[in-house]
Amino acid sequence: MSEVSYLSAASDLSSVGTPTLWAVTIIGVLLLLVLDFLVTRRPHEVSMREAIGWSAFYIALPLAFGAWIWSRYGSQQGVEYLTGYLVEKSLSVDNLFVFMLLLAAFAVPAVLAQRVLLYGIAGALVLRAVFIALGAAALQTLDFAFLLFAIILLATAVKLLRDALSGHQQEVDINKMRSVKLLRRVMPVVDEYHGTRMTVRQGAKRALTPFALVVVAVLATDIVFAVDSVPAVYGITEDPYLVFATNAFALLGLRALYFVLHAALSRLVHLSYGLAVILAFIGLKLGLHWAHGIWDSVPQIPTLASLGVIIGVLVVVTVTSLRATRGGDVPEERQVVTERH
């Protein structure tokens, strides 16, 4: 394939997403978000039974949707969707661990934790939608977009691996967070939580609550994760609709999944190593795909092979993490937070 024909092909992204399917999906996602906000309208501590029930629902729903994609559009789209969903779910678990550290660092009361998570999920969905649109535009207009995505993923993989080896990948110092420092300069901050209220009146002025600070901190981390996750799933499928669907389904169940995995998250000590391997592998896949568009002799990595590699890596890091933390021996660096003051 010549470079000219490659550019022509890249500018015409194929998608299963018809206007009707897009509309139904977006409305469905919004309804699920509204449902989650209704469930958390009265702050309460989440029981394990409630968390497992909602987690089962949010796992069954995307799997059923994947089965529909497979039967309606064929095995290729089905495998791409399932692989993309698995990648996004894996990255979201790392996202959850950062959320856990933020909630601990801000001393968020247990009854408010799920509302903080829900704000983070809603913000993440908006940011992912923006990045997905930008990614689709880049693929249509830039002949080196796949190479750019590959470089982003490889750089992220190197950073994850370097941080994991140094043992500092999970440190959270809220007093050094730019978003928190900026808010404290703009408005005073009270020390006590006032339910889910973002601001309270302090004398003649309005002051922010710690709830507002932790929500902004969570949203700030969403931006970082969006930069990594969107190129990663574009490495699996070039269909913007499937990219959006995998991101949406992976994020919607995070609130409940957090409470199911809360105790186990600290034991996944090798997760960063696994994610580094996965992101590097997808970066290599994107780089080969870009090169194949210019030189036909360059091989490509099939999506089904990608699915096998990703599952294999996740299984290995889960088993090794559980073995390394057997008996409750969790490395100290997995528990580092800085107290709020």
Side-chain angles (χ1 to χ4, degrees):
M1 182 185 293
S2 69
E3 188 170 355
V4 174
S5 61
Y6 173 59
L7 289 174
S8 176
S11 65
D12 186 25
L13 295 178
S14 60
S15 175
V16 301
T18 63
T20 300
L21 187 56
W22 271 105
V24 170
T25 304
I26 292 173
I27 291 172
V29 169
L30 292 176
L31 288 176
L32 289 171
L33 272 179
V34 170
L35 176 62
D36 269 355
F37 272 103
L38 290 176
V39 169
T40 61
R41 72 188 185 280
R42 294 180 180 177
H44 64 281
E45 193 167 348
V46 179
S47 67
M48 182 58 66
R49 181 178 180 180
E50 177 185 352
I52 291 175
W54 281 108
S55 293
F57 169 75
Y58 277 117
I59 291 175
L61 183 63
L63 291 179
F65 184 79
W68 179 79
I69 290 288
W70 192 303
S71 63
R72 177 69 175 82
Y73 298 104
S75 60
Q76 177 65 28
Q77 283 72 20
V79 171
E80 288 180 0
Y81 167 82
L82 292 173
T83 306
Y85 173 73
L86 185 59
V87 168
E88 291 304 309
K89 205 65 177 176
S90 305
L91 292 172
S92 70
V93 172
D94 197 46
N95 203 344
L96 277 184
F97 192 85
V98 175
F99 287 171
M100 183 179 74
L101 291 180
L102 285 173
L103 293 178
F106 281 94
V108 177
V111 295
L112 301 179
Q114 60 177 339
R115 180 51 68 96
V116 173
L117 292 170
L118 193 52
Y119 276 118
I121 292 166
L125 280 170
V126 173
L127 288 168
R128 301 290 173 88
V130 172
F131 277 81
I132 288 167
L134 292 175
L139 292 178
Q140 289 180 311
T141 57
L142 300 176
D143 61 316
F144 57 87
F146 286 112
L147 180 60
L148 177 62
F149 287 174
I151 293 172
I152 291 173
L153 294 180
L154 290 172
T156 302
V158 170
K159 182 181 184 303
L160 275 175
L161 183 60
R162 185 177 64 241
D163 290 344
L165 291 173
S166 65
H168 295 105
Q169 78 274 22
Q170 302 296 355
E171 292 186 359
V172 173
D173 187 346
I174 61 176
N175 296 305
K176 293 181 180 180
M177 296 186 70
R178 295 178 181 177
S179 57
V180 173
K181 291 195 292 185
L182 178 61
L183 284 178
R184 284 175 170 167
R185 290 176 184 174
V186 173
M187 292 180 68
V189 180
V190 298
D191 293 329
E192 302 82 16
Y193 282 87
H194 294 262
T196 58
R197 296 176 64 182
M198 298 281 191
T199 64
V200 293
R201 185 167 293 282
Q202 191 178 47
K205 295 183 179 180
R206 280 277 173 185
L208 294 171
T209 65
F211 185 83
L213 292 186
V214 67
V215 167
V216 171
V218 167
L219 293 176
T221 63
D222 284 338
I223 298 175
V224 177
F225 282 105
V227 172
D228 301 335
S229 65
V230 172
V233 75
Y234 267 121
I236 303 299
T237 176
E238 300 171 33
D239 187 332
Y241 174 78
L242 293 181
V243 172
F244 175 78
T246 55
N247 272 269
F249 280 124
L251 288 170
L252 281 171
L254 283 189
R255 177 184 63 83
L257 188 62
Y258 172 86
F259 296 100
V260 174
L261 296 180
H262 186 273
L265 282 173
S266 60
R267 296 191 61 189
L268 298 178
V269 292
H270 296 157
L271 179 61
S272 292
Y273 295 101
L275 293 179
V277 172
I278 290 173
L279 291 179
F281 172 78
I282 299 175
L284 175 63
K285 182 177 186 295
L286 279 170
L288 291 174
H289 179 71
W290 169 80
H292 180 81
I294 301 175
W295 303 287
D296 290 337
S297 59
V298 176
Q300 295 194 82
I301 300 175
T303 303
L304 191 58
S306 301
L307 178 60
V309 169
I310 292 166
I311 292 176
V313 170
L314 292 176
V315 169
V316 169
V317 298
T318 300
V319 171
T320 58
S321 293
L322 295 178
R323 287 174 61 92
T325 58
R326 189 165 44 194
D329 184 20
V330 180
E332 186 177 349
E333 65 267 17
R334 298 288 295 186
Q335 306 173 19
V336 175
V337 294
T338 300
E339 295 298 331
R340 177 172 56 89
H341 54 264

